[in-house]
């Protein structure tokens, strides 16, 4: 008997939404230590949408991989925010097309009437701040998992 695998459809890709701070913490945990090139950030003001194409460590599979002595995995995922009014960043050189960023956390700072700010904290003192009319976030895996190039799981504070 073999274990279920992503390929045979028994292991579903993530497709999660967040409309409050608690939901967003789940997305934050699952996207912690995701890496992405600076070129994979997209801000579409006319659609009020900000998105990142991440290479996400599969935290939800970490214990099973360790137990079964199989490689840790990453997967490409889209982290998207709708109802975005503005985007600001610090510590990010958009002109450096080779820059690779690492996402540490995603937090929501509520304002009035459901509005607020989403703060994406990056390694190396970088940050992205989204002013949102309402919290509307999605994390969706868009590829099959692949072996984590490092072969190791990142440190994950619990």
């Amino acid at each position: 008997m073999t274990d279920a695998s992503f390929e045979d459809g028994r292991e579903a890709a993530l497709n999660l939404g967040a409309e409050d701070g608690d939901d967003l913490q789940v997305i934050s945990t699952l996207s912690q230590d995701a890496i992405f090139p600076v070129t994979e950030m997209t801000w579409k003001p006319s659609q009020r949408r900000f998105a990142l194409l991440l290479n996400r460590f599969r935290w939800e599979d970490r214990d099973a991989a360790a137990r079964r002595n199989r490689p840790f995995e990453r997967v490409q995922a889209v982290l998207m925010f709708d109802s975005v009014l503005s985007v600001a960043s610090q510590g990010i050189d958009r002109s450096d097309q080779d820059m690779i960023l690492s996402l540490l956390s995603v937090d929501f700072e509520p304002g009035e009437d459901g509005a607020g700010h989403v703060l994406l904290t990056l390694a190396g003192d970088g940050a992205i701040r989204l002013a949102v009319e309402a919290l509307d976030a999605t994390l969706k895996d868009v590829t099959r998992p692949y072996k984590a190039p490092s072969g190791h799981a990142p440190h994950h504070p619990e």
Side-chain angles (χ1 to χ4, degrees):
M1 177 186 249
T2 60
D3 292 327
S5 69
F6 188 88
E7 288 76 14
D8 61 20
R10 293 190 184 109
E11 186 176 322
L14 286 184
N15 187 0
L16 302 174
E19 294 181 348
D20 64 34
D22 291 338
D23 292 345
L24 191 62
Q25 282 309 302
V26 173
I27 287 176
S28 179
T29 299
L30 291 168
S31 58
Q32 180 180 341
D33 297 311
I35 56 175
F36 60 98
V38 71
T39 56
E40 294 297 344
M41 287 191 293
T42 305
W43 163 229
K44 296 186 176 177
S46 63
Q47 297 176 17
R48 299 184 345 166
R49 177 173 287 164
F50 179 82
L52 302 169
L53 179 61
L54 306 171
N55 293 292
R56 183 180 74 74
F57 183 81
R58 295 190 64 235
W59 290 109
E60 69 278 15
D61 185 59
R62 177 189 59 176
D63 293 341
R67 243 188 344 269
R68 295 181 180 133
N69 198 28
R70 63 173 168 73
F72 293 111
E73 296 175 332
R74 284 191 175 266
V75 64
Q76 283 198 320
V78 172
L79 177 58
M80 184 169 49
F81 298 89
D82 285 306
S83 302
V84 178
L85 304 172
S86 65
V87 177
S89 64
Q90 69 179 36
I92 299 172
D93 181 358
R94 297 289 306 256
S95 68
D96 181 356
Q97 300 293 297
D98 296 325
M99 179 179 275
I100 303 295
L101 303 170
S102 178
L103 184 62
L104 298 180
S105 65
V106 183
D107 297 293
F108 182 62
E109 302 164 345
E112 300 209 5
D113 299 324
H117 291 91
V118 174
L119 183 63
L120 295 102
T121 303
L122 308 172
D125 296 326
I128 302 165
R129 185 179 170 106
L130 312 176
V132 296
E133 186 174 48
L135 181 57
D136 185 358
T138 305
L139 177 65
K140 182 176 183 176
D141 291 347
V142 295
T143 65
R144 293 183 183 276
Y146 59 90
K147 181 182 173 201
S150 72
H152 302 288
H155 173 71
H156 193 274
E158 300 190 39

